[in-house]
Amino acid sequence: MLRNVLGKTFRFLGYTVQYGCIAHCAFEYLGGIVVCSGPSMEPTIQNSDIVFSETLSRHFYCIRKGDIVIVKSPNDPKSNICKRVIGLEGDKVCTSNPSDFLKSHSYVPKGHVWLEGDNLRNSTDSRCYGPVPYGLIRGRICFKIWPLNDFGFLRASPNGHRFLDD
């Protein structure tokens, strides 16, 4: 009887470890579901929207301008942020706020990206903390899952004019 109970317990633990490893690899190397909070990406992503974030792009260095990414916060490594990639290494970016009369520009250093929220007036982003190391990118958002009436791929940036092409 004891042998039977121990056998079932160890089998259960073995399956739990196996499926836990599979789940970890799936979330780490394929992607996962993310609940976004905060107003910085409005109107593209609203507070409490649920999105799917894939991680293959970051592993293969396929992040492009205009992509929305999940990033470890440069200010608080325990939290993640959701922002749009405005510039890649070597790109010239506008570093000033939209309300500033004089516009300032800078170049994104090697191994970094420039991130901004779509809601420029209510977003803490690279304009505050500077370029973000590429290694902090956790994944690229592919599409919105919830709410269902918004299900599908994400729309283009309402701030496309901030992408400089010089």
Side-chain angles (χ1 to χ4, degrees), residues 21-87:
C21 290
I22 291 169
H24 167 74
C25 289
F27 290 130
E28 182 65 24
Y29 297 105
L30 297 179
I33 295 171
V34 177
V35 178
C36 296
S37 63
S40 73
M41 285 303 293
E42 291 175 354
T44 309
I45 298 175
Q46 305 289 328
N47 192 31
S48 300
D49 280 359
I50 301 173
V51 296
F52 179 77
S53 170
E54 60 86 13
T55 57
L56 288 174
S57 292
R58 87 176 159 107
H59 291 299
F60 293 114
Y61 296 92
C62 296
I63 301 295
R64 298 184 310 241
K65 274 197 250 186
D67 286 346
I68 299 175
V69 292
I70 302 293
V71 180
K72 283 281 180 203
S73 171
N75 294 338
D76 178 15
K78 292 181 182 174
S79 65
N80 292 322
I81 57 174
C82 175
K83 303 290 179 200
R84 190 177 297 272
V85 176
I86 300 299

Side-chain angles (χ1 to χ4, degrees), residues 2-163:
L2 180 61
R3 183 182 221 170
N4 191 16
V5 170
L6 284 174
K8 287 182 180 181
T9 302
F10 283 123
R11 263 195 306 281
F12 175 75
L13 287 174
Y15 288 131
T16 303
V17 169
Q18 280 179 322
Y19 292 120
C21 290
I22 291 169
H24 167 74
C25 289
F27 290 130
E28 182 65 24
Y29 297 105
L30 297 179
I33 295 171
V34 177
V35 178
C36 296
S37 63
S40 73
M41 285 303 293
E42 291 175 354
T44 309
I45 298 175
Q46 305 289 328
N47 192 31
S48 300
D49 280 359
I50 301 173
V51 296
F52 179 77
S53 170
E54 60 86 13
T55 57
L56 288 174
S57 292
R58 87 176 159 107
H59 291 299
F60 293 114
Y61 296 92
C62 296
I63 301 295
R64 298 184 310 241
K65 274 197 250 186
D67 286 346
I68 299 175
V69 292
I70 302 293
V71 180
K72 283 281 180 203
S73 171
N75 294 338
D76 178 15
K78 292 181 182 174
S79 65
N80 292 322
I81 57 174
C82 175
K83 303 290 179 200
R84 190 177 297 272
V85 176
I86 300 299
L88 301 170
E89 63 181 41
D91 287 343
K92 182 179 179 183
V93 293
C94 179
T95 58
S96 53
N97 288 312
S99 59
D100 293 348
F101 181 71
L102 294 173
K103 302 298 180 196
S104 58
H105 296 86
S106 182
Y107 288 92
V108 180
K110 187 170 178 61
H112 289 70
V113 294
W114 189 267
L115 304 175
E116 291 182 3
D118 285 354
N119 185 354
L120 292 174
R121 300 201 190 291
N122 197 2
S123 177
T124 302
D125 49 37
S126 287
R127 293 171 296 150
C128 299
Y129 44 72
V132 176
Y134 193 92
L136 292 182
I137 297 175
R138 305 303 307 147
R140 181 181 64 90
I141 295 180
C142 297
F143 55 89
K144 195 181 293 188
I145 297 172
W146 188 263
L148 286 176
N149 62 333
D150 247 359
F151 182 88
F153 294 102
L154 298 171
R155 60 182 150 220
S157 172
N159 306 312
H161 63 281
R162 290 186 58 90
F163 295 25

